[in-house]
Structures are given as C-alpha cells and as structure tokens.
Amino acid sequence: MINIKSKRIAALQEYITLKQRASYDELVDKFAVSKNTIRNDVQELCKTGDIVKVHGGAAVNQPAEEKQPNKDITKPLTSFTYRQTKNLPNKQRIAEQAAHFIQDGDIIFIDTGTTVLELIEYIQDKQITIVTNNIDFILRTMPYENLTVYSLGGALNRRTQSFTTIQAQEILKNYNINKAFLAATAISIKNGVTSSIPVESELKSYIAEQIEQKLLLVDHQKFDKVALTTYCNLNQLDYLITDQRPGQAYIDYCKNYNVELVIANQNEGV
C-alpha cells in the first residue's frame, strides 16, 4: 500500500513536471506542508534523475544529469532509447514467453517499461483490448486494427515515454482488466518490486491490489536491487517471468507464496 508520504511525493512530481519549475513557497502553499517537508520530498525526487534542485525551488531535469547511486539503490533511469536496446534479446525472450498468457478476448493492462514494450511483436494477431500509459506501445499498435487500445492520459514523462497521472486509479475503475503485465526498475525479496518513478508507483500499486492476474516481466539484471519506491511485494504477483534462473532464495520464495516462476525458453516454471 502506498502511504501518505509516497502519494504526496507522486503528486509533487506530477506538479513540477507540469509546471517545469516551482518555488519552495509555491509548493508549500500547494501541498499545505512545511518548507522542510517540501525540501525533503524534493530531495527524494532528485534520486529519480527527473527533478533537480534549483535556487529557491525545484525544476524538471532537462537534460538529466548523471548522479552516483547509493550503495543499495539502483542508478536513476538512463535514457529510454538506451534502456530499450540494452539486453534486447533477453527482453524479447521474456516478452515472447509472457505473450503465451494472452488470449483472444482478454482486457489487459500494459505497464511502462522497455521489456513489456516488446510484447507487441508477439500479440499482433490476437483480438484483445489494451489499456496502457506506455506511449511507444500505443504507437506500435497503430497498424493492427484487431488491437483495441485505450490510453490513461496525463502528463508526459519523457524519461519513461509514458503518461502519468494521479487520477489513474479513477480511470482504471471503468475498465474490467483481467491481466496486467508489469515492469520494474528492480526487485528483491526484502523490498519487493520497486520503481524509480514515484508518480507511477501509486498506479502500479493499485493494479497489484485490484487486477485479477499480475505478471511481472524483468530480466536477470534487476534481481537483488532496490529503486526509490516499492509498489508491491513479490507475493502479490501471480507470475514472475525472467530470462535466467534466479538464486535459490527466489525459487523457494515463489514456491512458498504460490508465485509461478517462469524462465523464458523453458517449457515449465521452476
């Protein structure tokens, strides 16, 4: 469950993104908290790489500056184009495996992220309805009239090439989604499934709680790492789809909590 602080930080990120720049005094008035609280929240947002401190306030980082990660925290998101091409064969294998879980007539949610983006190559002939905030996924579906697509809308996040909005939960209530294909910046048994984008975490958390079937698509390099915000525990998933067999601790965890661990290019889960 996303707590009050996380919700405020998510709303703060969306506000600064829309305004491009905001003073601390403006943010204090907008969010009805102390200036010290706002400063601390902005400091948290700076870890994502999307927001930077400026004199008297905060602004969108354009272009984003490279920052050194904390010892136990993943690096801020690099450019979408770089992430899209990194480990591409592994991502394609994961997406191909995940596509086996999509049937004609399904109403599915497609998360932001570069691994879920590869799903489009394997569902072109299916008759399904897609709800998403993933801009590149929307664009790639244009040639396929059999894919009915609904966008969540909101503010443009150039770093993830997605739409973000704090009203996403209300929008999603109108759709009878039966499967969600989720992405993550990092995962660990202790911290669960984590994201570098606070404003997206609330949406992801809602999906993890409300959607009937949740499938997480992550490559092996995201294991045993932690990003800024946790949006669900691993035991909230139904399927964990990856490209390499993880450590024994993950195998045991998935068995204990009835999470099906699926390794791409293998016929059966572990």
Side-chain angles (χ1 to χ4, degrees), residues 205-266:
S205 181
Y206 174 84
I207 290 170
E209 293 172 2
Q210 301 297 327
I211 304 304
E212 179 182 352
Q213 194 173 93
K214 285 84 62 177
L215 302 92
L216 179 67
L217 284 60
V218 288
D219 67 65
H220 68 280
Q221 293 190 352
K222 295 183 177 180
F223 282 72
D224 290 323
K225 296 179 181 178
V226 181
L228 183 60
T229 59
T230 296
Y231 72 80
C232 76
N233 295 318
L234 289 176
N235 60 19
Q236 291 178 256
L237 302 171
D238 296 289
Y239 296 90
L240 174 55
I241 306 175
T242 188
D243 59 314
Q244 291 185 18
R245 183 184 179 93
Q248 190 62 42
Y250 288 93
I251 295 172
D252 294 340
Y253 182 96
C254 288
K255 288 182 178 178
N256 289 338
Y257 288 99
N258 295 318
V259 178
E260 185 169 342
L261 181 58
V262 181
I263 313 302
N265 286 354
Q266 292 189 6

Side-chain angles (χ1 to χ4, degrees), residues 18-185:
L18 288 170
K19 298 277 291 185
Q20 294 294 298
R21 184 185 181 111
S23 69
Y24 287 132
D25 290 337
E26 177 183 352
L27 296 173
V28 166
D29 291 339
K30 174 68 177 178
F31 294 95
V33 294
S34 69
K35 184 174 290 188
N36 187 55
T37 296
I38 288 294
R39 290 181 186 275
N40 289 336
D41 288 350
V42 168
Q43 181 64 38
E44 287 293 306
L45 283 176
C46 287
K47 295 177 182 178
T48 70
D50 292 325
I51 304 298
V52 293
K53 292 180 181 179
V54 295
H55 180 68
V60 172
N61 187 8
Q62 197 63 262
E65 299 175 358
E66 291 295 327
K67 299 178 175 63
Q68 293 298 319
N70 295 329
K71 181 178 180 181
D72 296 322
I73 302 294
T74 58
K75 294 180 180 180
L77 288 179
T78 52
S79 74
F80 186 89
T81 301
Y82 171 78
R83 289 185 290 114
Q84 187 175 356
T85 57
K86 184 180 180 182
N87 300 325
L88 182 58
N90 293 337
K91 294 175 181 179
Q92 290 171 334
R93 288 167 51 205
I94 294 168
E96 183 176 14
Q97 186 70 52
H100 293 315
F101 294 92
I102 301 175
Q103 308 298 326
D104 287 344
D106 278 342
I107 303 173
I108 68 173
F109 174 80
I110 297 294
D111 199 0
T112 59
T114 56
T115 303
V116 292
L117 181 60
E118 297 304 319
L119 270 171
I120 191 65
E121 300 300 323
Y122 308 103
I123 61 172
Q124 297 172 4
D125 298 326
K126 297 183 183 291
Q127 296 284 340
I128 58 174
T129 299
I130 299 165
V131 182
T132 186
N133 56 341
N134 189 323
I135 295 173
D136 282 85
F137 200 95
I138 294 170
L139 293 175
R140 286 197 187 185
T141 62
M142 291 293 287
Y144 310 111
E145 295 184 2
N146 51 301
L147 302 178
T148 302
V149 182
Y150 293 88
S151 169
L152 294 182
L156 172 62
N157 187 322
R158 290 178 175 82
R159 184 65 68 88
T160 59
Q161 294 190 198
S162 65
F163 294 119
T164 56
T165 173
I166 58 176
Q167 283 79 41
Q169 292 185 26
E170 293 300 318
I171 298 171
L172 282 175
K173 289 178 181 178
N174 297 320
Y175 299 107
N176 296 314
I177 298 169
N178 63 317
K179 297 173 184 176
F181 293 81
L182 296 167
T185 305

